Amino acid sequence: MRSILRTRTLTALSATALALTLASCGSDDDPGDKGTDTSTGTGGDTSASVKLPKLDGQTLEVAAVWTGPEQENFTKVLQEFEKRTGAKVNFVPTGNNTSTFLGTKIQGGKPPDVAFLPQVGVLHQFAEKGWLKPLGADAQAQLDKNFDAGWKELGAFEGKQYGIYVKAANKSLVWYNTAAFEAAGVTDTPTTWKDFVATAQTLSDAGSPAVSVGGADGWTLTDWFENVYLSQAGPEKYDQLAQHKIKWTDPSVKDALTTLAELWGKDDLLAGGRSGALATEFPKSVIQTFSGDTPAAMVFEGDFVAANINADTKAKIGTDAKVFPFPAVGAKAPVVSGGDVAVALKGGAGAQALLTFLGSTDAAEIWAAQGGFLSPSKTMDQSAYKDDVTRDIAKALIAAGDDFRFDMSDQAPAAFGGTQGVGEWKDLQDFLKNPKDVAGTQRQLEADAAKAYKNG
């Protein structure tokens, strides 16, 4: 049986901590040229924080969902690993169906050495099938040194440690175009859902597409639902639904979908209307908020939006692009966390060395300097972050310690919460297409969840 993940809520990452006038981008210095094991680290150390073996002549393969700017930023980390070890590392994008891509590779006898899994449920499924290799002593040492117990638990299954959550995400942020707000005369960012919808209407009336929604990628829609549900139904219900201890036909789900329909049901508040939203992939949802003749005013998604802003637009974070917390639907504003866990699919020194490096502060600081990245490492040098916006979000994440709630869909079996075109992703896309069908959406969600949890 799949073990049940104990989840938490990011209480420390409050609306007060994030509702600030965001500073402009900081240093663009690239710490990717650290050199070998004796080089100077980002934080001013006289030596690297981790010792790695020599792997001359070895070729490793790493698989992850990232493309575009996110892939380019991660490549800087791999280049440093290559420099220190002598190994060559090839990156393979998995596409959105990570579990299917990797499952096919594994069953065909050609798995990558290391993979990043975007769903906790997939880690559990792969571990149960015997597809994952436990962390070696050196990788475990980096995990113990640099991460709190909550993040360690997320990478474990039935008492064995398989993964390191080296990349985290705060998925409760709304990024906005300051020029659009100024043109509409909006001076205060909304703190409640009611104010959020009213602000969207004001922006729309002033001529700006109010909210850009990346509905072509179903995972963005699950994030919308989770934030509304956590704030409105509360943490206890959130945990119950995440574990399928209550059904998707529960009245609390009806309330959350009805709330979402207040925004999704108004074509004039969505960039391109519902049909436009359903044809918009996540990167485009960011681009059309911060570029073009009539940019959208707001786009909801995690801290990783910064990578797309930096790479795909001319907007400057802190001046042209600012951020506020997802508005409170209930008594408290929600904070949902996500992340990518690095795991070994092959034995051998190469895969374990890469996991060891990925768990180190050296790797985290190189990655952080690129932008669009958040580390749950409690020991990395926070000055490595590219801008003050991300730095403040990261500090609050670390301050939360073990007290956080993890992305609900990422806890589910992949067939329900993590596969393009089926399950929750598809059901919420259908709901975006027809927000009036709350009851029908609930029935379909429950049917898909019941099947996936039974088989998962």
Side-chain angles (χ1 to χ4, degrees):
M1 293 178 62
R2 295 176 64 247
S3 64
I4 299 299
L5 175 68
R6 180 166 60 91
T7 54
R8 307 161 181 89
T9 191
L10 278 167
T11 55
L13 197 45
S14 63
T16 302
L18 287 173
L20 41 84
T21 302
L22 302 176
S24 59
C25 294
S27 171
D28 289 334
D29 292 342
D30 182 1
D33 296 327
K34 285 188 176 182
T36 62
D37 285 347
T38 58
S39 65
T40 300
T42 307
D45 296 335
T46 57
S47 63
S49 73
V50 61
K51 184 173 178 59
L52 300 172
K54 291 301 179 183
L55 302 169
D56 297 292
Q58 293 194 32
T59 298
L60 304 177
E61 187 173 88
V62 180
V65 71
W66 310 310
T67 58
E70 286 190 295
Q71 179 184 338
E72 292 169 11
N73 293 346
F74 178 55
T75 297
K76 299 287 178 60
V77 179
L78 297 181
Q79 288 171 345
E80 180 65 12
F81 178 79
E82 290 177 327
K83 187 184 299 182
R84 295 192 189 187
T85 64
K88 177 177 174 56
V89 185
N90 296 323
F91 179 87
V92 179
T94 64
N96 280 331
N97 293 339
T98 301
S99 63
T100 301
F101 175 90
L102 292 174
T104 301
K105 286 275 193 179
I106 294 166
Q107 291 172 326
K110 295 182 179 180
D113 296 87
V114 171
F116 282 82
L117 308 180
Q119 286 98 22
V120 178
V122 175
L123 182 144
H124 290 179
Q125 290 172 335
F126 280 19
E128 197 167 39
K129 291 176 183 290
W131 289 352
L132 305 182
K133 307 300 180 183
L135 292 188
D138 291 340
Q140 183 70 50
Q142 291 299 312
L143 180 67
D144 292 341
K145 175 184 176 184
N146 299 323
F147 298 85
D148 280 319
W151 290 102
K152 291 166 64 175
E153 184 184 331
L154 287 168
F157 179 74
E158 294 185 346
K160 289 186 179 181
Q161 194 72 48
Y162 291 101
I164 304 178
Y165 268 88
V166 297
K167 189 176 189 292
N170 177 304
K171 292 189 170 186
S172 299
L173 303 172
V174 179
W175 298 78
Y176 67 101
N177 185 316
T178 57
F181 269 52
E182 290 169 5
V186 178
T187 57
D188 297 321
T189 55
T191 59
T192 68
W193 180 260
K194 180 180 179 181
D195 290 343
F196 179 72
V197 175
T199 298
Q201 190 65 61
T202 299
L203 291 161
S204 177
D205 292 344
S208 292
V211 183
S212 178
V213 176
D217 289 323
W219 61 267
T220 66
L221 304 184
T222 70
D223 289 346
W224 274 101
F225 173 83
E226 289 157 8
N227 276 273
V228 169
Y229 190 84
L230 177 58
S231 181
Q232 190 171 47
E236 184 177 348
K237 283 279 192 180
Y238 185 95
D239 290 346
Q240 292 172 351
L241 189 60
Q243 297 165 14
H244 202 222
K245 290 184 176 179
I246 59 174
K247 295 183 177 182
W248 285 80
T249 48
D250 190 85
S252 61
V253 176
K254 175 184 178 181
D255 292 342
L257 292 174
T258 302
T259 297
L260 275 175
E262 294 174 6
L263 176 70
W264 291 3
K266 297 182 178 179
D267 268 1
D268 61 319
L269 301 186
L270 306 180
R274 282 170 288 169
S275 60
L278 285 164
T280 300
E281 297 178 340
F282 164 68
K284 183 182 175 182
S285 73
V286 179
I287 294 170
Q288 68 185 18
T289 306
F290 298 103
S291 61
D293 295 333
T294 55
M298 298 182 286
V299 60
F300 153 73
E301 253 312 334
D303 53 275
F304 44 84
V305 165
N308 297 83
I309 295 174
N310 288 331
D312 299 330
T313 79
K314 295 180 180 179
K316 299 298 181 184
I317 296 175
T319 53
D320 308 314
K322 293 187 178 182
V323 64
F324 60 87
F326 195 95
V329 184
K332 295 181 179 180
V335 180
V336 176
S337 175
D340 297 276
V341 60
V343 297
L345 299 179
K346 283 186 179 179
Q352 289 296 328
L354 183 52
L355 287 180
T356 299
F357 182 61
L358 290 171
S360 72
T361 55
D362 293 359
E365 289 162 13
I366 293 169
W367 211 341
Q370 313 311 315
F373 167 82
L374 203 66
S375 172
S377 171
K378 63 183 179 181
T379 52
M380 71 163 279
D381 184 352
Q382 299 291 307
S383 68
Y385 283 108
K386 188 179 180 70
D387 56 79
D388 289 341
V389 175
T390 309
R391 189 173 300 111
D392 286 335
I393 295 171
K395 286 179 180 177
L397 175 67
I398 300 306
D402 294 338
D403 192 20
F404 62 91
R405 281 275 185 307
F406 203 79
D407 184 295
M408 186 188 296
S409 63
D410 288 352
Q411 298 178 49
F416 180 66
T419 305
Q420 187 81 3
V422 298
E424 188 181 0
W425 291 20
K426 174 63 162 56
D427 297 341
L428 289 179
Q429 286 175 323
D430 289 344
F431 180 63
L432 175 57
K433 187 183 301 182
N434 182 17
K436 293 181 179 180
D437 189 17
V438 172
T441 300
Q442 284 187 269
R443 288 193 296 270
Q444 190 60 53
L445 283 164
E446 176 54 29
D448 291 338
K451 180 180 178 181
Y453 277 84
K454 180 180 179 180
N455 295 335

